[in-house]
Amino acid sequence: MKQDFSELRLDRVTRRFAGVGGKAFNALDELTITIKRGEFIALLGPSGCGKSTALNCIAGLLPLSGGTIQLDDLRIDTLPPESRGFGMVFQNYALFPHMSVERNIGFGLRMRGVSAAETTMRVANALKLVQLTGQEHKLPGQLSGGQQQRVAIARAIVIEPPLVLMDEPLSNLDAKLRIETRAEIRRIHHELGRATIYVTHDQDEALSLADRIVVMKDGVVQQIDRPQQIYAQPANLHVARFMGYRNVIEMDVEGATGDCVELRDRGIRLSGVAMQAPPGARAMVAMRPEEIVVGEGPQGRNTLAVRVETVEYGGRDSLVGVVTATGARLFLRTAQSAAPGDALSIHVPAERALVYAPTPA
């Protein structure tokens, strides 16, 4: 297997499993994507969405039920994992506890018959890259969780793979180590110049690390785009919910002026929302808690009177749950002090609301 490539192409990759009663279901359904050399791709979604299945299909740990995988002009989905030559980093590190850091990192090279002299040189380079020089004679149990994960990364990259695969590598670390280690992963990716495919359920990880994000649900790709687009312009209501649009209200379209509509539901009235729809249509309106503002809007537009139900203190701000007079519940973030029972006026900026066609939750 060559050690470099221009692009990895997945064409309608499908993985089918037998379900209850022998009825088959697609854990991965026709995933199609082209990944360029040097790209960092995040597969993002909740548990059971198919992201780890996709990674295992690429690695060769699961056979395909349909579709193909090509590395430039070479079809690789028919090759065994060891012939693909990819580096893989697992959630649980998968280090040998009785081997030193140095021997753990060099394990793959020894299995490939690389000479002792070259193995020593490449292990030293990998240790330097993951900033663990001086730790080579320690056992994994003598290292912190973040250091152990960097040993796992060094072991994956020391074989000089064309592609690095990472399956939720930070999920076992505490919050501080997760932030530190993801910065290290991004630095290592840039220095290597190879492609990385990274599985995560954490939106912050995906947004901060990836060049492109693949959002998945029930084995089906929902959106593939740059982090900025995924965050600001979710393709559908599922992506919006997953990316933090916690306030979702089904409303009636009452009137339209150009590309803007007026929406109403249970005492909530929003005007000037960008949407093309005829009066009488139904729409799902999604808003982030941080986009809702305490106070009245210009000329009182899109202003609601609410009562505070819950307050979750978060340091710089609080997540405040409110209810309207008609019982509609919303969440907002504010640095202003609030307590259960307080009466507030809140303003929903029309340009911050996203509108989708009604779909099942």
Side-chain angles (χ1 to χ4, degrees):
M1 174 69 67
K2 59 185 176 180
Q3 298 300 296
D4 204 354
F5 71 99
S6 295
E7 60 182 32
L8 175 76
R9 295 193 302 278
L10 281 67
D11 183 19
R12 303 179 71 180
V13 170
T14 300
R15 171 61 186 178
R16 189 172 296 109
F17 288 99
V20 177
K23 185 177 180 180
F25 71 97
N26 288 343
L28 186 64
D29 194 359
E30 297 196 351
L31 169 59
T32 298
I33 185 173
T34 297
I35 299 167
K36 302 292 185 181
R37 180 184 184 276
E39 265 199 300
F40 196 117
I41 301 294
L43 304 181
L44 176 66
S47 297
C49 73
K51 55 189 186 294
S52 290
T53 299
L55 200 75
N56 288 328
C57 287
I58 295 168
L61 301 177
L62 286 174
L64 305 189
S65 303
T68 61
I69 304 175
Q70 288 197 202
L71 204 61
D72 290 338
D73 56 355
L74 175 65
R75 182 172 175 178
I76 65 169
D77 57 90
T78 56
L79 299 178
E82 62 272 17
S83 297
R84 303 187 191 193
F86 299 155
M88 192 151 187
V89 181
F90 298 94
Q91 178 178 338
N92 61 356
Y93 316 145
L95 301 177
F96 297 109
H98 63 287
M99 288 187 185
S100 67
V101 167
E102 184 178 46
R103 288 189 61 78
N104 263 286
I105 295 173
F107 180 80
L109 296 175
R110 294 194 300 275
M111 291 299 99
R112 287 165 170 78
V114 176
S115 69
E118 186 176 350
T119 295
T120 299
M121 178 191 69
R122 287 166 66 172
V123 168
N125 290 338
L127 281 164
K128 183 178 179 181
L129 185 62
V130 299
Q131 298 182 351
L132 284 176
T133 301
Q135 309 293 325
E136 52 264 41
H137 300 302
K138 290 184 178 180
L139 294 174
Q142 296 174 294
L143 303 177
S144 69
Q147 288 174 320
Q148 289 185 56
Q149 193 56 281
R150 280 187 278 158
V151 173
I153 294 170
R155 184 181 58 188
I157 65 178
V158 76
I159 61 173
E160 298 179 355
L163 178 67
V164 178
L165 307 173
M166 296 190 177
D167 193 0
E168 306 229 28
L170 306 184
S171 59
N172 288 332
L173 303 181
D174 62 39
K176 179 176 180 292
L177 276 177
R178 279 202 303 272
I179 293 173
E180 292 174 354
T181 307
R182 80 186 184 201
E184 286 298 295
I185 287 172
R186 188 65 180 170
R187 176 186 63 80
I188 292 165
H189 168 79
H190 278 305
E191 291 192 26
L192 278 178
R194 305 294 174 90
T196 299
I197 302 177
Y198 186 101
V199 163
T200 183
H201 63 271
D202 188 298
Q203 298 94 325
D204 289 340
E205 279 182 26
L207 291 170
S208 65
L209 286 169
D211 298 312
R212 285 190 294 159
I213 297 174
V214 181
V215 185
M216 302 180 68
K217 178 191 179 188
D218 298 332
V220 178
V221 171
Q222 303 295 305
Q223 186 173 2
I224 302 176
D225 219 324
R226 295 179 301 110
Q228 297 86 345
Q229 289 298 111
I230 295 285
Y231 183 85
Q233 293 295 326
N236 56 43
L237 191 56
H238 168 75
V239 180
R241 288 181 190 272
F242 195 76
M243 296 307 298
Y245 286 82
R246 188 168 179 178
N247 300 305
V248 178
I249 306 172
E250 187 168 2
M251 306 184 77
D252 289 313
V253 177
E254 282 206 329
T257 304
D259 291 338
C260 295
V261 296
E262 185 171 295
L263 303 158
R264 182 191 291 272
D265 178 77
R266 290 189 295 170
I268 299 175
R269 186 170 183 169
L270 300 177
S271 60
V273 178
M275 181 190 185
Q276 288 184 321
R282 294 287 281 174
M284 303 297 288
V285 182
M287 297 163 284
R288 293 184 182 277
E290 54 267 35
E291 305 291 6
I292 297 177
V293 181
V294 175
E296 293 201 0
Q299 290 82 49
R301 293 180 66 197
N302 299 340
T303 298
L304 305 174
V306 297
R307 177 176 50 83
V308 175
E309 277 198 329
T310 60
V311 179
E312 297 177 24
Y313 178 69
R316 295 176 61 184
D317 59 21
S318 297
L319 179 66
V320 179
V322 301
V323 61
T324 68
T326 54
R329 285 177 167 78
L330 298 170
F331 292 91
L332 61 115
R333 286 199 174 276
T334 179
Q336 298 185 30
S337 61
D342 285 355
L344 295 177
S345 291
I346 62 172
H347 164 227
V348 179
E351 68 276 10
R352 299 295 189 180
L354 299 183
V355 183
Y356 301 95
T359 57

